[in-house]
Amino acid sequence: MEIHCETSVVPVLSELFADYLRDLASESARDELIVALGSRGLRLEHDLMLAHRDGGERWVPAPESAGFWRGRRCWLGWYPPALGEVVGGDLWFDPVEVSLMILIPRTFPDLAELAELPPHFMKRSTPFVGWISVRQMAVWQAVGYSLLTGRDLRIDTESVSPSAPVSGVSPVLAWDIALFFGKGTCDADYWEPAQEAFPAEELAELWQEDAPELGGEENSGAWIVVERADAMKGHPWEGHTDDYPYLAEAFPAPGVRFRTAVSSQFGVIDPEEGDKPNEVIDRRPVAALKGG
């Protein structure tokens, strides 16, 4: 396993994250990670990990460290909350990826179309698109994945901070990292409903810096790249994907970031035996059979 990045030193935080993922039942690994998150300025992740450790699965107001999101209803749990309990804009803290996610509702036209479908179709559809991470994948998370799985990781992140968004990851590796956490990568289809549902300042908070993101696989083996300004408009790529740069799935994608997503239709992905991306998935056996 090789890690190629601007800083050759593997962040201690990444090592502790790998230890935590190696055994989610280990209280000492969890507690060491919590301390490291706090000491390295990741107060949001620290506070939510601590709240989940001390109080288990439940709804809480997002803490002060959530900044823009503080006070918003937030579910702490190994799996997202039941769809019958949620509204668009709710938050979910995932203690596996150690990531805060937000629920994206469908657009009004999509909801109108769903309302006209026969009931048996509705069993496979939801009024939500799914959950997307409020932050892009960070260096410490990607390096932690590499340490645990032994996968080579080539990134071009300029910042020496382990909390910086990771960039330069190939689309196929980005997908594998997301799948490792039981998720997919966020694609362009999430941004149109987000633009309709959320005010401009909320969108800007979700995508703070003017850096492109992977926009999902458009054709077999070809991924589009979406710019921040285009995502803020909602749906500029509809019918015009030829105007956007494509990447081959193995291309290292210089300067391009990514974030994870969970479809509301399919939920957290539990890969088939033999299809596991070098383990994790655990999820505290299916959240104690969904009892919390």
Side-chain angles (χ1 to χ4, degrees):
M1 182 269 295
E2 293 183 273
I3 299 171
H4 303 274
C5 57
E6 291 293 318
T7 173
S8 60
V9 178
V10 174
V12 172
L13 182 57
S14 295
E15 295 176 334
L16 294 175
F17 185 45
D19 290 342
Y20 167 72
L21 294 174
R22 190 172 288 112
D23 182 7
L24 290 169
S26 170
E27 294 181 1
S28 61
R30 177 201 60 202
D31 291 347
E32 287 182 7
L33 177 61
I34 290 173
V35 171
L37 290 167
S39 66
R40 286 156 179 80
L42 293 169
R43 296 304 310 177
L44 172 61
E45 290 81 358
H46 167 275
D47 293 348
L48 291 173
M49 282 286 285
L50 192 63
H52 182 254
R53 183 197 72 180
D54 292 345
E57 301 206 332
R58 67 197 193 281
W59 287 101
V60 298
E64 283 294 314
S65 54
F68 184 89
W69 314 106
R70 65 184 177 275
R72 185 170 298 198
R73 199 167 74 132
C74 177
W75 173 253
L76 308 176
W78 299 104
Y79 286 86
L83 291 177
E85 302 176 2
V86 296
V87 296
D90 277 347
L91 301 172
W92 163 45
F93 175 67
D94 172 20
V96 180
E97 186 188 349
V98 189
S99 174
L100 184 63
M101 309 193 81
I102 188 168
L103 183 60
I104 309 297
R106 292 189 186 276
T107 63
F108 292 119
D110 283 349
L111 289 173
E113 288 181 15
L114 285 177
E116 296 176 0
L117 292 175
H120 66 278
F121 280 100
M122 289 300 293
K123 292 179 181 178
R124 296 186 57 83
S125 300
T126 79
F128 308 101
V129 183
W131 303 85
I132 66 170
S133 177
V134 303
R135 293 181 180 171
Q136 296 144 333
M137 179 70 63
V139 171
W140 67 272
Q141 292 165 310
V143 174
Y145 161 87
S146 178
L147 292 172
L148 182 56
T149 63
R151 290 284 299 273
D152 290 348
L153 180 68
R154 183 177 297 276
I155 61 179
D156 63 9
T157 307
E158 294 181 2
S159 172
V160 296
S161 170
S163 61
V166 70
S167 65
V169 177
S170 69
V172 69
L173 181 55
W175 177 263
D176 284 350
I177 294 173
L179 184 61
F180 177 80
F181 294 111
K183 304 175 180 181
T185 54
C186 179
D187 62 40
D189 291 337
Y190 282 91
W191 292 108
E192 177 182 357
Q195 193 270 346
E196 179 179 287
F198 301 145
E201 60 269 23
E202 196 156 322
L203 283 176
E205 184 67 22
L206 286 171
W207 198 326
Q208 295 183 15
E209 297 180 34
D210 189 14
E213 285 190 16
L214 292 174
E217 189 174 20
E218 184 66 21
N219 297 305
S220 180
W223 290 57
I224 62 172
V225 174
V226 176
E227 299 286 345
R228 180 183 183 277
D230 298 317
M232 298 300 103
K233 297 174 187 173
H235 53 90
W237 46 81
E238 219 173 60
H240 302 286
T241 52
D242 288 343
D243 296 336
Y244 290 82
Y246 278 80
L247 292 172
E249 62 180 17
F251 191 77
V256 180
R257 303 172 179 180
F258 72 98
R259 72 181 75 214
T260 60
V262 173
S263 164
S264 290
Q265 184 172 345
F266 299 108
V268 170
I269 303 166
D270 292 326
E272 299 284 333
E273 192 64 40
D275 188 37
K276 291 184 179 180
N278 302 326
E279 286 317 309
V280 149
I281 305 302
D282 187 301
R283 299 225 170 239
R284 296 292 71 212
V286 192
L289 298 180
K290 297 292 187 181

